[in-house]
Amino acid sequence: MAAKFLSLACIRNESWTDLSPRPHYPSMVKYPKGQSPPDKNDEIEGSKSNALFTVIGMNCSACAGSVEKAIKRLPGIREAIVDVLNNRAQVLFYRNLVNEETIRQTIEDAGFEATLVKDEPSEGSTQICRIRIKGMTCTTCSTTVEFVLKGINGVKEAQVALATEEAEIRYDPNMVSYNELLEAVVDTGFEPTLISTGEYRSKVQLKVDGIMTDHSWGIVKDSLQALPGVQNIEIDLELQKISLAYNPDMTGPRNFIQVIDTTGSSHFKSAFYPEESGRESHREEQIKQYYRSFLWSLIFTIPVFLTSMVFTYIPGLKHGLETKVVNMLSIGEILRWALSTPVQFIIGWRFYLGSYKALRHGSANMDVLIALGTNAAYFYSVYTVLRTATSKSFEGTDFFETSSMLISFILLGKYLEVLAKAKTSEAIAKLMDLAPETATLLTLNDEGTVVNEQEIDSRLIQKHDVLKVFPGEKVACDGFVIWGQSYVNESMITGESRPVAKRKGDVVIGGTVNENGVLHIKATRVGSESALSQIVRLVESAQMAKAPVQKLADQISRFFVPLVITLSFATWFAWFLAGKFHWYPKSWIPSSMDSFELALQFGISVMVIACPCALGLATPTAVMVGTGVGASQGVLIKGGQALESAHKISCIVFDKTGTLTIGKPVVVSTRLLKNMMLHEFYELVAAAEVNSEHPLAKAIVEYAKNFKEEENHVWPEARDFVSIAGHGVKAIVQNKEIIVGNKSLMMDSNIVIPGEAEDLLAETEEMAQTGILVAIDGKLVVGVIAISDPLKSNAYDVISTLKSMNVRSIMVTGDNKGTANSIAKEVGIETVIAEAKPEQKAEKVKELQAAGYIVAMVGDGINDSPALVAADVGMAIGAGTDIAIEAADIVLMKSNLEDVITAIDLSRKTFSRIRLNYLWALGYNVFGIPIAAGVLFPFTGFRLPPWIAGAAMAASSVSVVCCSLLLKYYKRPKKLDTLEIRGIMIE
C-alpha cells in the first residue's frame, strides 16, 4: 500500500496531505460524569491528528519499509506513509493513545534520525465541500475532474463519483475557497452546483419579504447578530436571502424567524428559503431531458429508417423515392439529409459539447467516440449527396440512417441508464424521507406543567425543546423521554424488527415511529446533528469512497478511448487496402455499396461499439446498492474499501464485554475482607469508578446507588483520577488512595493480595464471573466484587456459523484468564488472549495479519479502538462508544452478533456482483470490438451495422447498472432468521 502511494508521489511530485482512506463518521462526544467538557481541541473528535517528520538515513525502499513497520507497531496509529525520495514520514494517529514524541523516538530506535517538522492541520481546520457535477458521461470525465481538483493548492483529498455525479473535496479554507473549487470544475467543462461547503454544520437560509432598503437590511442584520450563538450572517439582496450559521446549543431557526418578523413594526415576513434541487430532483430532471431528447430523435429517425430500409422494398414508394431531382440526386436522399441533420446537430449537440470539453483538457471520453462515429457517417453521406447532385453517372450510398439511428439508440441507452442509476440511490432517499414534516411543540411553565401546544415545522425544532409524540406519529428528532411510556418501532434506523419499550429517561431516535402511548420528549440533537442525519452522511460518504478494485477501471479509462480510435482507423484502413488491392472476392461487398463504404462501416462500428461507461459503472453502482441495502438492515458499511476487505475476512477477533456478552454487567456479590460498612465501601469505590466509561465501572456505580435514598446522588470528589486501560482505575477520594481493578493492577501497584481474596477470585472465574479487587490507602485488598455479564443468546450459534464459513474466531479481552476461558468454552472459541491491554489487542491483530489472515476486529469500547484501526476491517457494535464507532469500518446498529455474518455475506454478494460487472464490461469490449471490426465476416458473412453496434454499446451500460440493482433483493442467510427466532424464545 505504501509503495503505491510512494510511486504516486514520485509521479505527481505533490506533498502528502490527508491520509485517511475511510469516510468520516460524525463523532458524538461524551464526557465522564463529574467532569466538565474539555476545550474543543481536546475533544475525542479532535484526537485524530497528523504529524510530519523528516527522516535522515534512508537509502532505499527497504529502509522506508522498516520505518513504516516500526511506526505501525505503535498503538493508536491509523496510517503511516514513508517517502524515501523526500526523506519524510507522515503519520495519522489518535492523540489520546500515542503522541509525536513517542513516534519520533520509535523512528530513531529503528536506526534513523527523525525530526518533527510541524503538526499537519487537524480535522478542525479541514473542511469538506460537496459539489454536484452535471455532464459527466464516463470514467474519463470523472477522472479528469478529480485530477484537476487534486492539483489545486490547498486541496487535501478529492473524490469524484460517476454513479452519484458528485464530488467530495477535503480542503484547507485558509489556502483555497469553495468558489475556486467551483471555478476549477467549470474550467474542466462541466456544470457544478454547490451542495455544502463544510464551513458550518448548523446553517439555515431564510427568505425575507417586505424589506425595501439597505437600512432595513442593516436593522435586521443587527437584530440577528445580537442573538447569542449567531456565528456568521450573509445577505443576498438580489435574492432577498439571509444565511445564518449558529451554535445549536444556544439558538436556532425559530428564534431567527421570530426576531425578523417582530423587527420593523412587524412589516417583515421570513420563511425557509426554497431548497435548491437535491440529488433526486437533479436525477428527475436528467431523466426528463434524456426522455425528451430520445422522443425528438425518434420523430426524425423513424422516417429516415423507413425511407432507407423499408420503403425501398415497396414498388410504388421505391419509384417515388428514387425519382431524380438534379442529375443523380434523388428525392429519398434529400429527405434523409433533411431529417437526419437536426438529429446530428441539434439533438446530438450534447456529444459535440462533451467532446470539446474533454479534448480541451487533453482527454477523450465516450462523447468523442460517438461524435467521431456519427460525423464519419453523416459527412460521408453529405459527400455522396453533393457528388450525385453534380454528376450524371455517380451512384453512391448514403449512411444518414446510421448517424441518426446511432444517436437515437445511444440516447435511449442513456435514458435507461440514468433511470436505473436513480434506483441505486433509493436507500438515501428513503432515509431522508423518515424525518416528519411537522412536530407538536409544548410550552411548559416553571412547575413543568404544559400550558400550550403548537404544531410547527420540524425544521424549527431547537435543542431543549419539549415535543409531544402521539401514537402512530414519527419522532421528530433525537431526545429522551421525560413523560409517558410506549413502544417505539426503530426498524427503519437500526433494522431491529421488534418494537422497543420506552419510558422516562430512555433515549429516542428521530425518524422512528411511536406505536401506542403518548410521549413527551426533550430534544437533544436536531438538524444535522441527529442520528438520522449522521447515518445519511455516512451512507453518502460510503457511496463516494472508491473501492480499490475500481483502480482497474480508472487505469483502463486513461488509454481506452485513444486505443479504440486507433483500432477504428486501423480497421477502416485494413479493409480499405484489402478492397483496393482485391485481397478478398468482390462477392463480399454488398450490392448497395463499394469497398470504401464497406471499410467505413467496419471502422464506424468499431468506434461506436466500444463502451468505457460500463467499466466505470461496474464498481460504484454495486457499492451504492450494497451500502444502501446494508443501511436498511442496520449494517453501516463505510465505503468500497471496507466492502472489498470484508469479503476476504478469514479471521475475526472478538472483544468479550459488550460484544460476546450483553454488555450490561451487574454486581452479583460483594465480600469485604476488612471491618467496614458496605455503604461506606461503595461510597469510595463508586466515587472512583464514576469517571470511567467501562461497563464494569458503570455496573458498580449503578449497584452503589442502591445504598442511597436520593435519586441524583452526588458522589465525593475524586482527585488525581487515572484510568489504566484493561486494568482498572486509581483516584484519591476523601484523602484516601482508592485502587479498583484486576489482579495485574494490584501487583503492578505493589498491593498485597491475601489468600482469601485469591480463593474468591478463583470461585468467581469458575462461574464465568469477573472478580474486581479493591484496595484502600494503597496497602491491602479490602474487598472483592463479583460481576456477571450474561452471554448474548446467539453467541454460540454465530461462532458456529462463522466456522462453517471458514472464518476463524478468537477472543481477546482485558478480563482475567479464568473468566475469559469459561466464556470462550461456552461459545465455542478455542483461542483466547486474556488480561490484554489495548495495545496488546492491536499487536495480536498484527500478528494474525503477519500469519496471512485477513482480520476483522469486533468491539465496542475505547480500549478496542487501536485494534479496530489495526484490523483489515473494524466492526463497531452500534451501542458502543463513539471513538470505537469512529475507528471502525463497519457499524452494527442493532448490536446483534449475527450482523457480523450479515456484513460478511453482504460484502461477498456485493463483490461477486462487482466481479460479474467487470466480467461483462471487459468481455463485452474484448469480444464486441473484434466482431464489429469484421473478424467473423470472411467466414460467416456476418457484419455488425454501426447502428446495431451503437445499440449494443448503450445496452452494455444499462445491463451493468441493472446487474447491480439486483442486489436490492438481497436477503441475509436463512440460518440467521433461525438464530433470531431462537433469541426471541430465550428472552
Side-chain angles (χ1 to χ4, degrees), residues 438-668:
T438 60
T440 304
L441 177 68
L442 300 180
T443 304
L444 309 180
N445 59 18
D446 294 338
E447 286 77 31
T449 307
V450 177
V451 295
N452 186 40
E453 289 186 16
Q454 179 188 0
E455 188 175 30
I456 61 169
D457 188 318
S458 60
R459 292 174 294 178
L460 294 173
I461 298 172
Q462 298 177 186
K463 278 190 178 180
H464 314 302
D465 281 347
V466 176
L467 306 172
K468 185 176 185 178
V469 187
F470 292 97
E473 279 188 349
K474 290 180 179 178
V475 178
C477 65
D478 296 358
F480 60 91
V481 179
I482 61 171
W483 179 88
Q485 57 184 18
S486 179
Y487 280 87
V488 175
N489 183 355
E490 297 181 345
S491 61
M492 61 290 297
I493 301 292
T494 65
E496 178 60 65
S497 57
R498 286 165 284 169
V500 181
K502 300 290 181 182
R503 54 182 61 86
K504 185 178 179 181
D506 289 339
V507 174
V508 290
I509 306 171
T512 56
V513 178
N514 183 22
E515 295 270 317
N516 45 16
V518 176
L519 295 175
H520 291 181
I521 67 166
K522 190 167 188 176
T524 55
R525 291 204 299 261
V526 298
S528 59
E529 292 184 341
S530 68
L532 182 59
S533 295
Q534 289 178 9
I535 292 170
V536 169
R537 283 202 301 276
L538 174 61
V539 176
E540 285 179 336
S541 295
Q543 294 182 349
M544 286 292 301
K546 291 183 179 179
V549 73
Q550 196 175 338
K551 291 176 184 176
L552 172 66
D554 292 342
Q555 290 168 354
I556 292 173
S557 70
R558 291 175 190 170
F559 59 83
F560 185 86
V561 174
L563 178 63
V564 168
I565 293 171
T566 304
L567 287 173
S568 175
F569 277 102
T571 300
W572 167 78
F573 191 64
W575 278 101
F576 174 70
L577 287 180
K580 189 77 173 175
F581 295 105
H582 309 292
W583 293 343
Y584 60 80
K586 284 189 176 181
S587 59
W588 285 13
I589 305 173
S591 58
S592 59
M593 60 181 74
D594 58 25
S595 60
F596 176 84
E597 291 167 345
L598 179 65
L600 184 64
Q601 286 241 336
F602 281 126
I604 294 172
S605 293
V606 169
M607 195 169 291
V608 297
I609 199 171
C611 184
C613 295
L615 279 170
L617 294 169
T619 299
T621 52
V623 170
M624 282 180 71
V625 179
T627 52
V629 168
S632 68
Q633 301 211 13
V635 178
L636 301 183
I637 303 171
K638 298 185 183 179
Q641 173 84 42
L643 206 59
E644 183 167 342
S645 299
H647 93 280
K648 297 183 285 188
I649 290 172
S650 56
C651 177
I652 297 183
V653 177
F654 288 96
D655 176 45
K656 179 181 76 70
T657 305
T659 304
L660 291 172
T661 61
I662 291 173
K664 293 182 180 178
V666 291
V667 175
V668 291

Side-chain angles (χ1 to χ4, degrees), residues 313-378:
Y313 296 98
I314 302 173
L317 293 174
K318 179 182 179 182
H319 176 73
L321 292 172
E322 291 180 352
T323 301
K324 307 302 179 188
V325 179
V326 179
N327 291 329
M328 300 301 291
L329 180 63
S330 67
I331 292 175
E333 289 171 326
I334 294 172
L335 282 172
R336 287 192 290 275
W337 188 9
L339 290 167
S340 63
T341 299
V343 178
Q344 182 71 32
F345 296 108
I346 300 175
I347 298 168
W349 177 249
R350 65 173 70 239
F351 303 119
Y352 287 101
L353 194 62
S355 301
Y356 166 72
K357 290 174 180 178
L359 293 171
R360 192 178 68 173
H361 290 275
S363 62
N365 60 8
M366 188 194 74
D367 290 334
V368 174
L369 296 179
I370 296 169
L372 280 174
T374 56
N375 275 340
Y378 179 83

Side-chain angles (χ1 to χ4, degrees), residues 887-949:
D889 302 293
I890 297 174
V891 181
L892 310 178
M893 293 291 290
K894 286 187 285 187
S895 301
N896 287 347
L897 266 184
E898 60 260 29
D899 283 342
V900 173
I901 298 170
T902 302
I904 296 173
D905 185 65
L906 176 59
S907 66
R908 288 179 178 180
K909 292 277 175 34
T910 303
F911 212 75
S912 67
R913 192 67 59 183
I914 291 172
R915 285 200 190 99
L916 190 62
N917 285 346
Y918 272 122
L919 189 65
W920 167 252
L922 287 170
Y924 163 82
N925 284 293
V926 167
F927 290 103
I929 291 175
I931 292 171
V935 169
L936 300 179
F937 186 65
F939 312 105
T940 63
F942 176 75
R943 180 171 58 87
L944 204 62
W947 63 273
I948 294 179

Side-chain angles (χ1 to χ4, degrees), residues 725-741:
H727 284 65
V729 299
K730 295 180 180 180
I732 304 296
V733 180
Q734 295 178 351
N735 296 321
K736 296 177 181 177
E737 183 184 15
I738 309 298
I739 302 176
V740 185

